[in-house]
Amino acid sequence: MKDAQKPDHVSLNNVIQRLKEGRFVIPDFQREFEWNPRDIRDLMRSIFLDYYIGSLLLWKGKAQNFDALSCEPVYGYNGGEAAEHIVLDGQQRLTAMYYAFVAPDVPLPKRRNRYVYFIRVDKFMQEEYDQAFDSAWAKRYVNKILTDKKMQYSQHIFPLSIIGAGGWELFSWVQEYEKHWDAVAKQAKEDGDEQAEQEAVQSVKDAKQFGEHLKGITEQYQVSYIELDQDLEIEKVCDIFTQINSKGVQLDVFDLINALLKPKDLQLKKLWREAKPRLSFVKSRKMKVYVLQVMSLLRQAYCSPKYLYYLLPGETRTFRDPDGTKRKEILVKDTTDFRKRWNGAVAALENAMDHLKHPQEFGAISSQYLPYVSILPAFAAIQTHVKTLPAHTQLVAQKKVRHWYWASVFTNRYSGSVESTSARDFLDIQEWIADDVAEPALIQEFKDRFKNLKLRGETKRGSSVYNGIFNLLVIQGARDWMTGNIPQHGNLDDHHIVPASWGKANSFNSILNRTPLTSETNRHVIRDRLPNEYLPELIESNGESTVRAILESHFISPAAQAILLRDPFTPEDFEEFIAERQKTLQEAIENLLIKERIDLSPQLRELDEKVEQVELNLRESILSALDGDASKLPQHVTQKVNERIQRASKKNAAMDAEQYDALAGKLEYFDLRELQDTITGKSTWTLFESQFNNKDTLSGKFNQLAELRNGIRHSRTVDEVTRKEGEAAILWFEKVLGS
């Protein structure tokens, strides 16, 4: 009998080398590489923690089979042809390894930019694994991470491409990293800085241990695979592939924890049966695991299966402190403590769902319109943390939580494996709430990416972006076209604006051609007719201005309305309408979410836009008056801004701090008072005097503007006097600045 299936294994170094040589190829019937950045990061985490990542199914290839299956190299490969194995199962894992370890200069699928992966050595050695594995994507940062050795050593960044480079690169990097911190320790000792010396000495120790770990993983970590004989018929191979991809039972960590709790006389399934009705808004088989994850996040800030084990009453977890010492702690004392924490987690999830389904808060009026179910543990834990803060800080904290939530929705942050993401976000948002400068990199990613959202392709209800747009329409207060009222949300669904029966293109099902309407309106007003038929009837009965206002509440601009009224209405008109609504929705995302005006009244939104424009114009005025020379700034302003930039760069290792050496970069970190101090400073006032004339008058206008700005942006009530004085200051600045 032919040895059709031969199990074997190979070291990580060997796999990487084979990937670099192009020995693995992908058959045409496989789906495309579609892992998102977090999936790749989580695979790297599993490898470096010596976890099993599953077996590969490989078919020993030959020329006729490579051709018959139209095989191609792994995504990003740019080398010679040396095909040896056809990958039947494991394409995503192998391609992710190639992308992370070789760092090809190609963007990830569905991303504009290249991603580079690295390990934060200090976090790794402190066993903070959910924060230790990271990536960078901004173009100006990627090259710096790959090439700037000094930055790598000083910020504890180990690019995984060092492993992919092979040869002596790995040994050399570890050696130089250790030398760097040894030199820092000696210098700190000479300077008499005991704390800096202690931290540097610990980094030297960490470097040695990290190097040993890398050597062990690269040489001894085994990737298992099954090799099919090259002479097997294609029909049999395809049948094996189908069987593998259609079977398998996922291990539920809840069942494991339940079994471990039984000897302690604690029935976890019974607790879940009692809690389940309270969490019925979302139908998900993972909800019982989410309760455990919320417990874990609130107790130890992590929630991957490894950490859930430490929720067992009396179980000891070992922590490693920054100085290298280890300590042991029991996280859950006994079964009474477990029940208390379980009930707290259930209440946190229940509260989170109430927030998310509220039509004026997050607009997920039905579970089918919730962008992510998987975001619930992080959202619930963060909301619970906010409740523990002093009352006067909770408004600003909630504003930051909303910004994080919407950024997560529109960047598809919770679309893959999310335990590590949940832990990272739980820690990052707490830090951001405590320190404005510690803004998570996600927020900037949202700002950079939202203009490239392809809303036309969002045709599937349930996707994060589709549901996110629908939620915004609900929050906006989209009014019913027949009654003009904000409808009862139980009777609301997304209906076509231009009926799908009019055209067969997939874009007719796009969120750009859908909006929340009641079934009565869809049945009695639209009735499968074109807008140029039903809109004139509405206008005749209710007046053009009324109908226009109703349509604008659906993010249908006057320009889009004019297009819909065209008769005849052609496919070209539909395309023009879709383009106009895309533009309107992108403007809404920027205005309401990026600039955080979703909670403001229309009047305050307009004022906030004007304040922002005044600040931008003041920055331009300073940039011009100082001839772009940052050395001309008042010393105290420079010091404060530099400290702010330094804190931000420590938070975001991929940030190119050199960009902010220039005045234009520093101005991005100026607040309103620093703009004032720069203009009115003793050394700089003569440069601005001809423009602003009187320093006392200018200071008064800054005070009025600051009072208005702070009231708006810190969620305080803006009284009539503050508003009118602020409006007067805006008019004064607009006149003086020529805007």
Side-chain angles (χ1 to χ4, degrees):
M1 180 178 175
K2 186 185 296 183
D3 187 14
Q5 300 182 28
K6 184 173 65 177
D8 206 341
H9 53 78
V10 64
S11 72
L12 179 62
N13 268 344
N14 204 317
V15 171
I16 295 171
Q17 187 59 35
R18 293 185 188 186
L19 283 165
K20 289 166 62 180
E21 293 170 356
R23 297 196 192 187
F24 300 110
V25 292
I26 313 300
D28 185 60
F29 62 75
Q30 285 266 31
R31 70 185 193 272
E32 299 291 328
F33 178 56
E34 55 188 30
W35 273 15
N36 65 40
R38 292 175 297 283
D39 294 327
I40 300 175
R41 183 194 70 201
D42 289 346
L43 177 69
M44 295 301 106
R45 181 184 186 277
S46 295
I47 290 172
F48 282 89
L49 295 184
D50 202 17
Y51 294 166
Y52 176 64
I53 61 170
S55 290
L56 310 173
L57 180 63
L58 308 174
W59 184 17
K60 184 77 171 180
K62 53 185 178 181
Q64 66 190 67
N65 295 335
F66 295 142
D67 293 337
L69 296 178
S70 302
C71 294
E72 295 181 350
V74 297
Y75 180 82
Y77 180 75
N78 187 25
E81 296 183 9
E84 184 177 285
H85 283 102
I86 297 171
V87 181
L88 299 178
D89 189 46
Q91 180 222 162
Q92 304 293 323
R93 283 166 287 163
L94 281 173
T95 308
M97 286 187 216
Y98 180 80
Y99 197 89
F101 290 120
V102 180
D105 191 8
V106 294
L108 274 179
K110 300 180 182 178
R111 295 291 195 276
R112 295 175 62 202
N113 295 347
R114 172 193 192 188
Y115 277 67
V116 169
Y117 288 83
F118 55 91
I119 297 175
R120 298 178 185 272
V121 181
D122 53 340
K123 298 294 184 184
F124 185 87
M125 297 310 298
Q126 291 167 18
E127 299 182 9
E128 296 178 11
Y129 299 129
D130 286 342
Q131 297 182 75
F133 298 88
D134 211 340
S135 63
W137 54 272
K139 291 179 181 178
R140 62 178 180 266
Y141 305 149
V142 165
N143 186 59
K144 194 173 182 65
I145 285 177
L146 290 175
T147 61
D148 190 336
K149 298 289 187 183
K150 184 177 180 182
M151 188 195 78
Q152 292 171 10
Y153 304 147
S154 63
Q155 297 190 23
H156 306 284
I157 290 175
F158 172 71
L160 293 183
S161 58
I162 298 291
I163 293 175
W168 290 95
E169 282 292 315
L170 178 57
F171 174 78
S172 175
W173 191 94
V174 173
Q175 189 178 55
E176 292 302 316
Y177 175 61
E178 183 181 340
K179 286 181 180 178
H180 170 86
W181 284 105
D182 187 54
V184 171
K186 290 176 180 176
Q187 184 62 52
K189 186 174 183 179
E190 288 182 16
D191 296 341
D193 190 337
E194 292 184 9
Q195 183 177 350
E197 181 188 2
Q198 183 181 9
E199 291 174 356
V201 167
Q202 183 59 47
S203 293
V204 173
K205 295 177 182 177
D206 287 348
K208 293 177 180 177
Q209 294 178 23
F210 184 66
E212 292 170 2
H213 184 83
L214 288 178
K215 186 175 186 295
I217 286 294
T218 54
E219 295 178 0
Q220 299 174 29
Y221 184 84
Q222 299 294 309
V223 179
S224 62
Y225 67 91
I226 296 173
E227 183 186 78
L228 302 182
D229 190 273
Q230 65 180 356
D231 293 325
L232 274 179
E233 295 87 350
I234 289 181
E235 293 82 358
K236 287 187 178 180
V237 171
C238 290
D239 186 53
I240 293 172
F241 171 78
T242 303
Q243 292 297 318
I244 285 175
N245 281 273
S246 64
K247 295 181 180 178
V249 178
Q250 185 175 3
L251 177 64
D252 191 336
V253 69
F254 179 90
D255 294 324
L256 178 61
I257 298 295
N258 178 61
L260 293 170
L261 284 171
K262 279 185 177 180
K264 301 178 184 292
D265 197 25
L266 217 170
Q267 300 293 324
L268 192 58
K269 285 188 176 180
K270 182 182 178 183
L271 291 178
W272 168 240
R273 283 195 295 272
E274 294 170 351
K276 190 175 180 180
R278 296 171 60 185
L279 306 178
S280 60
F281 174 71
V282 174
K283 302 293 188 292
S284 171
R285 62 179 179 79
K286 292 185 176 181
M287 190 57 66
K288 55 190 177 183
V289 177
Y290 290 163
V291 180
L292 293 172
Q293 289 180 348
V294 173
M295 288 177 66
S296 187
L297 283 170
L298 292 173
R299 187 63 185 94
Q300 56 185 329
Y302 299 106
C303 64
S304 58
K306 168 187 174 180
Y307 292 100
L308 298 187
Y309 172 78
Y310 296 113
L311 296 177
L312 294 174
E315 198 61 46
T316 300
R317 182 187 162 194
T318 301
F319 291 85
R320 185 180 188 275
D321 293 326
D323 62 1
T325 59
K326 293 186 177 182
R327 58 183 173 83
K328 293 184 177 182
E329 183 178 347
I330 294 174
L331 301 184
V332 179
K333 293 184 297 182
D334 49 35
T335 55
T336 301
D337 191 20
F338 184 94
R339 287 190 180 92
K340 178 182 177 182
R341 295 182 186 280
W342 168 273
N343 291 333
V346 171
L349 282 164
E350 186 177 30
N351 177 67
M353 292 178 193
D354 289 341
H355 272 291
L356 293 172
K357 68 185 180 184
H358 195 290
Q360 278 82 52
E361 288 287 336
F362 294 93
I365 54 174
S366 165
S367 61
Q368 65 180 333
Y369 293 116
L370 185 64
Y372 296 112
V373 174
S374 56
I375 202 172
L376 280 171
F379 185 81
I382 291 169
Q383 288 288 357
T384 301
H385 169 72
V386 170
K387 285 185 176 181
T388 67
L389 300 175
H392 68 279
T393 67
Q394 290 188 21
L395 279 172
V396 175
Q398 286 289 6
K399 196 171 184 179
K400 291 177 178 177
V401 173
R402 282 192 288 272
H403 202 158
W404 158 77
Y405 175 83
W406 290 113
S408 298
V409 168
F410 286 105
T411 59
N412 291 292
R413 184 168 178 80
Y414 280 78
S415 60
S417 177
V418 300
E419 288 90 353
S420 295
T421 301
S422 298
R424 177 173 300 203
D425 285 355
F426 180 64
L427 292 168
D428 284 354
I429 300 308
Q430 289 184 68
E431 188 174 351
W432 187 26
I433 288 171
D435 183 359
D436 288 342
V437 176
E439 179 184 284
L442 168 69
I443 305 302
Q444 186 59 48
E445 181 182 355
F446 181 30
K447 293 175 184 176
D448 291 341
R449 285 179 53 189
F450 85 95
K451 290 184 179 178
N452 299 305
L453 287 171
K454 306 297 183 191
L455 299 180
R456 181 192 188 95
E458 295 295 335
T459 60
K460 185 179 179 182
R461 179 195 296 172
S463 75
S464 64
V465 175
Y466 185 105
N467 282 5
I469 294 295
F470 187 86
N471 297 163
L472 276 183
L473 285 160
V474 172
I475 296 169
Q476 173 78 354
R479 293 184 174 274
D480 185 66
W481 294 6
M482 187 166 68
T483 66
N485 298 324
I486 296 176
Q488 294 294 317
H489 298 103
N491 189 31
L492 207 56
D493 205 348
D494 57 331
H495 292 287
H496 292 86
I497 298 168
V498 177
S501 60
W502 186 74
K504 296 181 179 179
N506 196 37
S507 55
F508 281 90
N509 292 317
S510 166
I511 188 64
L512 295 174
N513 188 39
R514 299 177 79 96
T515 203
L517 295 169
T518 63
S519 56
E520 288 84 358
T521 296
N522 190 51
R523 187 165 56 250
H524 297 301
V525 175
I526 297 178
R527 300 202 310 270
D528 208 31
R529 296 183 297 165
L530 284 171
N532 61 13
E533 295 180 62
Y534 64 76
L535 286 180
E537 294 175 358
L538 289 173
I539 291 171
E540 183 178 352
S541 300
N542 303 285
E544 184 175 353
S545 60
T546 299
V547 173
R548 174 172 289 189
I550 290 173
L551 292 179
E552 285 183 348
S553 74
H554 291 255
F555 298 123
I556 300 174
S557 68
Q561 295 172 38
I563 296 168
L564 291 174
L565 286 167
R566 290 176 185 171
D567 191 8
F569 187 79
T570 67
E572 290 74 22
D573 294 324
F574 177 77
E575 292 299 323
E576 195 174 338
F577 164 69
I578 288 294
E580 175 61 25
R581 198 159 189 241
Q582 162 97 19
K583 176 185 172 186
T584 304
L585 283 167
Q586 283 180 323
E587 290 173 350
I589 291 171
E590 180 174 27
N591 191 36
L592 300 178
L593 305 182
I594 300 288
K595 296 180 178 177
E596 302 179 273
R597 294 174 179 139
I598 197 166
D599 301 320
L600 302 179
S601 66
Q603 184 182 41
L604 289 182
R605 284 180 195 170
E606 184 179 353
L607 282 175
D608 193 48
E609 290 178 25
K610 290 182 177 180
V611 171
E612 179 187 39
Q613 191 57 52
V614 168
E615 289 188 64
L616 292 173
N617 291 338
L618 284 168
R619 291 179 187 178
E620 286 297 323
S621 179
I622 291 171
L623 189 64
S624 174
L626 302 188
D627 295 323
D629 187 353
S631 67
K632 295 180 180 179
L633 289 170
Q635 187 175 358
H636 74 284
V637 171
T638 300
Q639 183 178 349
K640 286 171 66 177
V641 171
N642 284 346
E643 288 173 356
R644 203 171 290 145
I645 292 170
Q646 188 176 24
R647 290 201 303 273
S649 66
K650 284 184 178 179
K651 176 65 181 174
N652 181 5
M655 176 179 166
D656 185 3
E658 291 180 4
Q659 176 190 352
Y660 300 98
D661 289 340
L663 179 58
K666 290 186 186 298
L667 284 167
E668 293 180 23
Y669 280 84
F670 273 50
D671 62 22
L672 197 59
R673 289 305 187 187
E674 281 146 9
L675 294 173
Q676 178 182 352
D677 288 351
T678 298
I679 294 172
T680 60
K682 289 182 179 180
S683 62
T684 52
W685 172 244
T686 55
L687 301 172
F688 298 96
E689 188 172 10
S690 61
Q691 184 175 18
F692 294 100
N693 194 27
N694 185 284
K695 189 184 294 189
D696 291 336
T697 300
L698 175 62
S699 296
K701 297 302 178 185
F702 264 113
N703 290 338
Q704 292 171 339
L705 191 67
E707 190 68 24
L708 175 63
R709 178 192 181 280
N710 292 337
I712 292 173
R713 299 190 186 178
H714 294 286
S715 305
R716 295 203 297 264
T717 301
V718 178
D719 58 48
E720 187 175 1
V721 173
T722 300
R723 181 175 58 78
K724 288 187 177 297
E725 288 183 345
E727 287 174 337
I730 289 170
L731 288 172
W732 186 86
F733 276 111
E734 287 177 343
K735 181 178 180 181
V736 171
L737 295 167
S739 54

